[in-house]
Amino acid sequence: MERDSQLELYAAVAARLKEAHTRVRALQVPEGVRMALSRKLLVITAASKHDLADAARRLDRLMDDLDAGRFPEDLGGDGSP
């Protein structure tokens, strides 16, 4: 049973990550903001391989930030402030 719930959580996180990537790509924000958000998504993806529950919480926070219009500050194109 526990394995089934783990597989369900994995599927849910994978679907939400896909949705988050789509949303980030569609945002009308400076490229530095888009890059910062993409890096956050990459970190969450990597975390999901080690701690799925933590990755799900991180993804929830990121999606809440996107819903509220809270984005990282724009960094220059080279990643510097």
Side-chain angles (χ1 to χ4, degrees):
M1 268 326 234
E2 185 177 327
R3 181 164 167 76
D4 289 342
S5 65
Q6 188 75 1
L7 288 174
E8 289 174 14
L9 180 58
Y10 179 78
V13 169
R16 293 204 65 217
L17 277 168
K18 184 177 179 180
E19 175 190 349
H21 278 280
T22 300
R23 287 183 62 186
V24 167
R25 276 194 310 270
L27 286 174
Q28 299 295 318
V29 294
E31 189 60 27
V33 172
R34 188 180 333 281
M35 286 173 42
L37 290 168
S38 293
R39 279 192 299 274
K40 285 182 180 226
L41 286 169
L42 289 174
V43 168
I44 293 168
T45 302
S48 71
K49 297 175 185 177
H50 305 285
D51 188 344
L52 193 54
D54 180 55
R57 286 188 295 274
R58 288 180 183 203
L59 184 55
D60 286 342
R61 283 193 305 266
L62 177 63
M63 295 297 274
D64 288 346
D65 286 346
L66 291 177
D67 290 343
R70 291 186 300 261
F71 306 122
E73 289 190 28
D74 184 17
L75 301 176
D78 62 354
S80 62

